[in-house]
């Protein structure tokens, strides 16, 4: 591991003053420490922001605000989350072990890197780790790789369960830049597809620091589900995951939200399926049709075609489970 200096920032302004191209922020460290051990991340300095950024959860009439340093465990126990946006708790509980949830921060969860095996193998080409070197997974072991939104530059998938829930609920990310400018990024625009810059996972400006996340309070607290399919039950990353939330009035779907993990370089919204569900009466047939719409134009890679029927079934199951929550 490369030697580095370590400083603890007392506040956001200090953290931003210390930040430069050769320094990285560290919160819970549940992803960054792994990257340091494997020499994927090689900063000259680490800036501890655990006391600089808020760890508070607050609620207003319009939204829930989650501080960037709120631990993942708190998202599963906070009464405001459980009352207004329980899908978030459900998604987090599908993720890592209790020990990791106790350490991991909300903002850090958004910024975690892919778990693609070639990204973690420094002996292999990887455009995310070494731009321009190529994508080893493209024509090799891509059974866990993307189904949608990929290109020849990168077929990696975003690993977060929390982010799938946040995508479904139209969250917003708030940050402060090095010139103290306040930044707001819609969650759907926060993570990016590979395009020509696969080494960039998100649209957060360089040296900016996430301060908090806001989730609109909408009528999705009663009918929701999170389905995660993985190679083993114990704390594995998703092959396919689906967050579902329905706003029901009587026997009609007023609005539907569907988002997936394990299928793209970012949490993926199934907008066409959502639009189809609006105004419909919930039924197994309607849910099956929505799932069919979602998978209609998917073009799998050489070894991950098995994910398509898995995804269809996960969407149907999540929608059915939303009626039982």
């Amino acid at each position: 591991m490369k030697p580095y200096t370590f400083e603890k920032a007392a506040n956001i302004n200090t953290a931003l003053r210390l930040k430069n191209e050769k320094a990285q922020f560290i919160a819970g460290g549940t992803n960054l420490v792994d990257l340091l051990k494997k020499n994927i991340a090689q900063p000259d300095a680490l800036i501890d922001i655990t006391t600089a950024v808020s760890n508070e959860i607050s609620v207003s009439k319009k939204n829930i605000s989650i501080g960037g340093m709120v631990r993942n465990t708190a998202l599963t126990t906070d009464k405001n989350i459980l009352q207004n946006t329980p899908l978030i708790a459900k998604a987090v509980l599908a993720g890592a072990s209790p020990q990791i949830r106790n350490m991991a921060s909300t903002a850090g969860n958004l910024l975690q890197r892919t778990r693609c095996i070639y990204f973690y193998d420094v002996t292999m080409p990887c455009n995310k780790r070494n731009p321009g070197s190529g994508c080893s997974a493209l024509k090799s072991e891509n059974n866990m790789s993307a189904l949608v939104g990929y290109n020849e530059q990168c077929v990696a998938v975003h690993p977060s369960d929390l982010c799938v829930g946040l995508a479904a609920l139209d969250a917003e990310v708030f940050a402060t830049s090095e010139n103290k400018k306040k930044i707001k990024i819609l969650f759907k625009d926060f993570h990016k597809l590979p395009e020509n810059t696969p080494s960039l996972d998100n649209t957060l400006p360089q040296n900016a620091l996430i301060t908090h996340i806001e989730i609109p309070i909408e009528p999705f607290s009663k009918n929701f589900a999170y389905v995660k399919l993985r190679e083993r039950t114990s704390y594995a990353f998703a092959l396919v995951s689906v967050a579902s939330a329905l706003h029901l009035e009587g026997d009609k779907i007023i609005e539907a939200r569907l988002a997936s993990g394990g299928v793209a370089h970012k949490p993926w919204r199934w907008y066409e399926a959502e639009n189809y569900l609006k105004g419909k009466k919930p039924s197994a047939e309607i849910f099956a049709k929505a799932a069919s719409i979602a998978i209609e134009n998917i073009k799998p890679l050489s070894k991950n075609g098995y994910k398509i029927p898995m995804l269809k079934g996960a969407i149907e199951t999540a929608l059915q489970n939303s009626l039982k929550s």
Side-chain angles (χ1 to χ4, degrees):
M1 186 185 297
K2 176 183 174 181
Y4 54 82
T5 62
F6 183 88
E7 294 191 66
K8 192 177 184 70
N11 52 55
I12 290 174
N13 290 338
T14 301
L16 291 171
R17 177 175 55 80
L18 294 170
K19 184 73 168 67
N20 57 53
E21 291 183 1
K22 296 183 178 181
Q24 285 190 245
F25 295 131
I26 185 168
T30 54
N31 185 205
L32 180 56
V33 170
D34 288 341
L35 299 178
L36 291 171
K37 289 178 179 179
K38 293 182 177 294
N39 289 313
I40 296 170
Q42 298 185 359
D44 290 342
L46 291 182
I47 305 162
D48 183 342
I49 58 168
T50 53
T51 58
V53 177
S54 170
N55 65 352
E56 299 293 326
I57 298 173
S58 60
V59 61
S60 68
K61 291 182 179 180
K62 292 185 177 181
N63 58 60
I64 288 181
S65 177
I66 302 170
M69 267 310 306
V70 170
R71 305 289 184 176
N72 281 187
T73 295
L75 296 175
T76 69
T77 60
D78 182 82
K79 63 179 182 180
N80 291 318
I81 297 289
L82 296 175
Q83 180 178 342
N84 295 287
T85 57
L87 175 59
I88 296 303
K90 191 86 169 178
V92 172
L93 286 170
S97 68
Q99 294 89 339
I100 291 177
R101 292 199 298 267
N102 287 341
M103 291 298 297
S105 68
T106 296
N109 195 298
L110 271 63
L111 299 173
Q112 64 181 299
R113 306 300 306 273
T114 182
R115 262 57 178 193
C116 176
I117 58 173
Y118 296 106
F119 175 73
Y120 275 85
D121 185 349
V122 296
T123 67
M124 299 295 291
C126 172
N127 285 325
K128 290 188 72 63
R129 179 171 26 81
N130 184 16
S133 62
C135 175
S136 294
L138 183 63
K139 295 181 179 180
S140 188
E141 296 302 319
N142 52 40
N143 59 298
M144 296 186 70
S145 299
L147 286 174
V148 292
Y150 63 85
N151 60 18
E152 292 189 353
Q153 295 287 319
C154 183
V155 296
V157 297
H158 184 74
S160 171
D161 291 291
L162 168 61
C163 288
V164 179
L166 291 172
L169 296 179
D170 281 342
E172 295 176 331
V173 181
F174 292 81
T176 301
S177 68
E178 54 189 334
N179 58 5
K180 299 183 181 180
K181 181 181 178 182
K182 304 298 182 183
I183 300 166
K184 181 176 77 170
I185 307 173
L186 299 179
F187 202 85
K188 67 182 183 66
D189 299 325
F190 183 79
H191 296 100
K192 61 181 289 297
L193 296 178
E195 301 166 333
N196 293 320
T197 53
S199 60
L200 299 179
D201 296 321
N202 55 69
T203 59
L204 186 70
Q206 187 175 12
N207 295 343
L209 180 60
I210 296 174
T211 57
H212 66 286
I213 297 162
E214 291 185 1
I215 307 174
I217 295 177
E218 297 180 294
F220 295 117
S221 61
K222 293 183 179 180
N223 298 102
F224 63 92
Y226 191 78
V227 172
K228 181 177 181 178
L229 304 178
R230 42 196 161 179
E231 288 186 328
R232 64 185 189 278
T233 303
S234 178
Y235 313 127
F237 295 101
L239 296 173
V240 165
S241 65
V242 177
S244 169
L246 300 176
H247 173 197
L248 300 176
E249 288 187 4
D251 62 353
K252 182 185 293 187
I253 300 172
I254 304 302
E255 189 172 2
R257 300 284 177 82
L258 283 171
S260 280
V263 301
H265 197 258
K266 61 183 291 184
W268 193 264
R269 282 281 292 273
W270 304 106
Y271 291 110
E272 290 186 12
E274 291 178 4
N275 290 333
Y276 168 77
L277 288 167
K278 289 181 181 179
K280 303 290 194 307
K281 181 178 179 179
S283 69
E285 292 74 22
I286 291 298
F287 293 160
K289 177 62 176 178
S292 296
I293 290 172
I295 68 169
E296 188 172 11
N297 296 312
I298 289 179
K299 296 180 179 179
L301 296 164
S302 59
K303 296 183 179 180
N304 71 351
Y306 74 94
K307 281 191 176 187
I308 296 178
M310 182 180 287
L311 173 62
K312 184 177 186 297
I315 292 174
E316 292 182 50
T317 300
L319 288 168
Q320 290 283 7
N321 288 351
S322 295
L323 300 179
K324 304 173 185 178
S325 56

